[in-house]
Amino acid sequence: MKTKKVLVVDPLEKRRRRLASFLRELAYELTEVQDIKQAADKLLGVNNFSFLIFNCSQLDSYQVGLLRSIHSFNPRLSIILLTPQDEPYLGVELINKGLIHHLGEPENLSGLYAVLINEQEKQELRYKNDLYLKELRKLKREQERYLKKADILEEIYDTTIENLMTALDLRDVETFGHSRTVAKYSQVLARILGIEEKEKLDNIRKGALLHDVGKIAIPDSILKKAGSLTEEEWEKIRLHPSLGFGLIKEIKLVPEVGNIILYHHERYDGTGYPQQLKGEHIPLEARIFALADALDAITSYRPYRKERDFQVAREEIIKNKATQFDPEVVDAFCSIEISKWEKIRFETTRFLPQYEPWIKSAKSR
């Protein structure tokens, strides 16, 4: 253990020497002075004292001021006042002012040693606590940097998804804006069905945005074909959920996102694709998305038919309850007035009207 330095202040030389001798025998390193002024000269500058022990029964205002300066300049210094038991007032005053840590009696050397041991343990605890606080502040700074980087990466990830889906929508101009619209419908349905967790709702949004990412691998000759598709071409179209899942499974892919991409064409009665899952074997987020996807498809323009209104969409969805769609999801959809679904669509696609004439004219050529 490192030797602790003690500064002893006592105007009486005999008593001071007795105390110094006692402490040296206990392996403390001693410095002796006669008064608080001499102590201040040693302590109001760079020093490595651990303890100040001073013996007195009274201090004037100047001396109290010096003690206050010593205390402020040496926050780790343990200050011990030795005063007769029948003169406790000075000690009580200094304790109340927060200028000393312990009181002792000049003649009770064993008691003073116990005080020193106690203060030494407190100093070591304070030192360890300071180290812990320093490490905690360091960890906090690192966490803040990590969170900042995570936020930046999340923003880049979201922007990448948005840009990717915009590119896909523009590739198939008749469905421009489709991904954003079904993403909003899916989140609204999810909340009606009791999904309130922010992260899960955001994952459903991301899955909806990425649901048709597999169409990247479908040739334009099939994707943009004006006439009816052959059975062979339909087989290729039906591959896009699996292709999409395979394309992005290596990146940041949470279950909700992957489930929507892979299972969004499954049907509640088990006649969908790619795995012919039935009922609740289809993940809930995929069942939610299937209805949202159909709602937007029915109410959007297609080159082979005009867009239909939400009343027609509602009737069509109810008609396919328990066959194409989960009955609970249909009930959730029907629990909201048609005008509110129309408002959701308008707010999601209000930047699109300028594109619609171009889309229609491009497809009519």
Side-chain angles (χ1 to χ4, degrees), residues 322-351:
T323 54
Q324 184 175 355
F325 307 117
D326 180 345
E328 288 188 17
V329 180
V330 174
D331 291 342
F333 165 70
C334 292
S335 70
I336 291 186
E337 297 173 4
I338 287 176
S339 60
K340 291 183 179 177
W341 287 111
E342 290 172 334
K343 183 179 179 182
I344 292 168
R345 177 178 172 80
F346 171 76
E347 290 178 347
T348 308
T349 61
R350 55 187 166 183
F351 66 98

Side-chain angles (χ1 to χ4, degrees), residues 37-160:
K37 172 68 171 61
Q38 292 177 348
D41 291 339
K42 294 186 177 296
L43 293 169
L44 296 180
V46 178
N47 69 87
N48 58 352
F49 285 101
S50 298
F51 304 99
L52 168 62
I53 302 173
F54 69 102
N55 195 329
C56 68
S57 56
Q58 60 183 14
L59 291 173
D60 59 29
S61 59
Y62 171 71
Q63 292 170 322
V64 171
L66 285 176
L67 186 60
R68 181 175 285 107
S69 297
I70 290 170
H71 183 274
S72 298
F73 193 83
N74 302 271
R76 299 181 186 278
L77 182 71
S78 295
I79 303 175
I80 302 164
L81 171 66
L82 301 181
T83 188
Q85 190 174 7
D86 57 354
E87 297 180 14
Y89 301 106
L90 176 62
V92 171
E93 178 188 354
L94 295 179
I95 285 176
N96 288 337
K97 290 180 178 180
L99 297 180
I100 63 173
H101 299 94
H102 267 289
L103 283 172
E105 294 181 57
E107 304 304 322
N108 186 1
L109 296 183
S110 59
L112 174 60
Y113 179 60
V115 167
L116 287 171
I117 293 298
N118 181 266
E119 280 298 311
Q120 191 166 323
E121 289 176 352
K122 284 167 62 178
Q123 287 177 355
E124 289 172 358
L125 286 173
R126 281 196 295 267
Y127 175 73
K128 289 179 180 178
N129 189 55
D130 287 346
L131 288 179
Y132 293 146
L133 288 174
K134 184 179 179 181
E135 185 65 22
L136 186 62
R137 284 191 290 269
K138 179 183 176 183
L139 289 172
K140 186 177 179 181
R141 287 193 299 270
E142 290 176 354
Q143 183 186 41
E144 287 171 352
R145 285 196 295 268
Y146 170 79
L147 290 174
K148 187 175 180 180
K149 288 180 180 178
D151 287 343
I152 293 171
L153 289 173
E154 187 71 19
E155 186 176 344
I156 292 170
Y157 177 69
D158 284 349
T159 302
T160 301

Side-chain angles (χ1 to χ4, degrees), residues 270-282:
T271 61
Y273 63 89
Q275 296 182 15
Q276 293 80 51
L277 299 183
K278 185 176 181 179
E280 294 188 2
H281 291 290
I282 306 168

Side-chain angles (χ1 to χ4, degrees), residues 258-273:
N259 287 340
I260 289 174
I261 293 170
L262 186 57
Y263 302 122
H264 69 277
H265 281 295
E266 298 288 355
R267 291 171 55 100
Y268 195 75
D269 61 5
T271 61
Y273 63 89

